[in-house]
Amino acid sequence: MKSIAVAVSALALLASGCSGAKEKDAPAPEPPPTPPYTVSDTVKAEVLPQLATTVASTTEAADAASWVIDVKAKGAKARTDITLLSENEGEFDVVGNGKTDKKGQATLLTTTPGELHVVLGEGEEAIGAAISTDTAPTATFTDDFDAPSVNVDRGNWATRDQGYAGVRQCSKAADEAAEVTEGVLRLSVMADPAQGQCQLGNKSYPYRLNGHVGTEGSYTFTHGFAAARIRTQSARGQHSAFWLQTPGGQGTGGAAEGGAEIDIMEYFGDDHPEGGMTSFTYWVDKSGREHTEGGWIPQLDQYGKKWAKKFHIYSVEWSPKEYVFRIDGRVTTRLKGRTSAKPEFLILSMLSSDYELSKFNGTLPEHMDVDWARVWETGPE
């Protein structure tokens, strides 16, 4: 019996690979490719949310928008080339590019997710830093208006209570001026069939219905990024708008204590002498006096033309110390100082105010189309 046991033991050793023969070592994994630059702490880059778009007349999913990458390169000369690289099977592909301004800053755009490399210069002189789109804020609210219903009130949005009063004696918000169809929220200014003519001074105008919806009562946030992909109207006499407001309106005590109205964009028409587009904030101090900051966006043509034919993304970055307004990721206005510290809700509107009616040069109805709206909450950090 002893000899049988020894034989079985020997077979077990052979089967388990423990016969004393040395196994071949597994091949070592290939090291990751070395990026073509020297890491430098003079290059700082931050990945912002997907705030830029393919400028087109067609709709596009919110997730298809481009990430915005803010680059600051200390000591870099103006118009230094910046390249954004992505590693792909051992090779580095260019997925974005730009040039520094006189402050050594640049804005890059990319739709490529994951780890990326910001590179200044080329060859042995190239310096840079690694970044990742995973560090960008996560979206906390999205409405892409893809529901088949033509009723805008789907839990997120409702028509606001505004009508035939104040600066809009001749217009009012109405459900029929806001509809969702084919993946787009269409807000309109149209004649009110139930009314006749509105008298302003010695002139009369058709009473108008306005598309004017907001998320008051369903969604608010405090600090972060808010963006919407919008195609404006072209005519004067009304204005497209995307804005934020404190529930119940601003209180007194300053922006932080009482909240603010944050007008991300208002567009007053293609032929406006000031360019047509504004970004403003309004807040009320302790004495009840209203303060206004912001204004017309200068040299608007550098951000686009023929606004009524193409969708653009309009956004605000709202932190405790400033508001940063952007069109397709490019900064248009920066307002520093204490900002609202109160919850704010989203508003999308196509409004005809009394002071605009004399400038009307279109044909009713006029339209503003919204492809999607999105928020990335960040909190006070």
Side-chain angles (χ1 to χ4, degrees):
M1 296 294 293
K2 182 176 180 181
S3 61
I4 294 174
V6 170
V8 170
S9 249
L11 287 172
L13 284 170
L14 286 170
S16 65
C18 298
S19 63
K22 186 176 180 180
E23 291 185 354
K24 292 183 179 179
D25 293 333
E30 290 289 332
T34 302
Y37 64 88
T38 300
V39 175
S40 173
D41 59 8
T42 64
V43 180
K44 307 292 185 185
E46 180 184 9
V47 184
L48 306 183
Q50 291 165 280
L51 304 176
T53 188
T54 301
V55 179
S57 60
T58 54
T59 59
E60 178 183 84
D63 285 337
S66 298
W67 282 276
V68 175
I69 300 171
D70 275 351
V71 180
K72 297 179 181 178
K74 186 177 180 180
K77 295 180 180 180
R79 300 195 63 76
T80 298
D81 288 327
I82 301 183
T83 307
L84 190 64
L85 302 178
S86 173
E87 188 272 324
N88 180 23
E89 296 182 353
E91 300 291 334
F92 289 93
D93 298 331
V94 176
V95 295
N97 53 60
K99 292 181 182 293
T100 56
D101 62 15
K102 61 184 179 181
K103 295 182 179 179
Q105 301 177 358
T107 299
L108 306 180
L109 308 177
T110 185
T111 57
T112 302
E115 184 171 312
L116 304 169
H117 302 272
V118 175
V119 183
L120 274 74
E122 57 184 4
E124 295 182 356
E125 303 298 321
I127 59 175
I131 57 173
S132 174
T133 58
D134 293 340
T135 63
T138 301
T140 50
F141 171 94
T142 302
D143 198 331
D144 55 16
F145 304 111
D146 281 341
S149 171
V150 297
N151 182 3
V152 72
D153 188 357
R154 295 184 294 112
N156 288 335
W157 308 87
T159 297
R160 303 194 69 208
D161 184 14
Q162 170 266 312
Y164 298 146
V167 298
R168 299 187 188 98
Q169 297 287 334
C170 296
S171 67
K172 72 172 184 177
D175 289 340
E176 52 264 50
E179 65 174 0
V180 174
T181 181
E182 297 183 356
V184 168
L185 165 64
R186 168 157 283 191
L187 301 174
S188 302
V189 170
M190 59 179 64
D192 185 350
Q195 300 287 335
Q197 296 288 306
C198 177
Q199 195 72 28
L200 287 179
N202 60 356
K203 293 186 177 181
S204 62
Y205 306 91
Y207 279 95
R208 287 157 160 78
L209 302 179
N210 292 172
H212 188 183
V213 299
T215 63
E216 185 174 14
S218 66
Y219 176 76
T220 61
F221 75 106
T222 308
H223 301 126
F225 296 81
R229 189 170 188 257
I230 295 171
R231 180 169 55 197
T232 71
Q233 91 292 351
S234 63
R236 296 181 65 184
Q238 56 275 303
H239 61 279
S240 303
F242 173 38
W243 41 306
L244 310 179
Q245 198 168 61
T246 310
Q250 298 97 276
T252 59
E257 293 79 5
E261 178 180 313
I262 306 168
D263 293 347
I264 299 167
M265 64 79 73
E266 295 176 296
Y267 188 63
F268 291 84
D270 292 347
D271 298 324
H272 197 284
E274 299 289 345
M277 193 170 294
T278 65
S279 294
F280 278 104
T281 63
Y282 302 89
W283 51 276
V284 182
D285 64 21
K286 292 181 180 179
S287 66
R289 184 166 64 95
E290 185 176 81
H291 295 256
T292 302
E293 296 178 293
W296 298 98
I297 296 175
Q299 299 177 329
L300 184 62
D301 282 357
Q302 66 182 301
Y303 305 105
K305 298 178 182 180
K306 298 181 178 179
W307 303 94
K309 295 184 181 297
K310 307 289 185 181
F311 284 100
H312 294 267
I313 296 178
Y314 304 91
S315 66
V316 64
E317 178 184 353
W318 164 29
S319 70
K321 295 183 179 180
E322 67 176 348
Y323 303 106
V324 183
F325 300 96
R326 293 179 171 89
I327 297 177
D328 292 327
R330 299 175 64 190
V331 176
T332 60
T333 306
R334 189 182 296 268
L335 301 178
K336 292 183 176 292
R338 295 188 71 192
T339 67
S340 171
K342 307 290 285 186
E344 305 266 346
F345 63 94
L346 309 178
I347 304 170
L348 293 162
S349 61
M350 178 72 164
L351 300 176
S352 54
S353 301
D354 296 343
Y355 60 82
E356 299 177 274
L357 295 183
S358 64
K359 304 295 184 182
F360 183 70
N361 61 358
T363 303
L364 294 178
E366 291 285 337
H367 306 294
M368 160 189 171
D369 292 332
V370 186
D371 190 10
W372 51 257
R374 202 168 212 185
V375 174
W376 299 260
E377 297 180 42
T378 61
E381 299 302 320

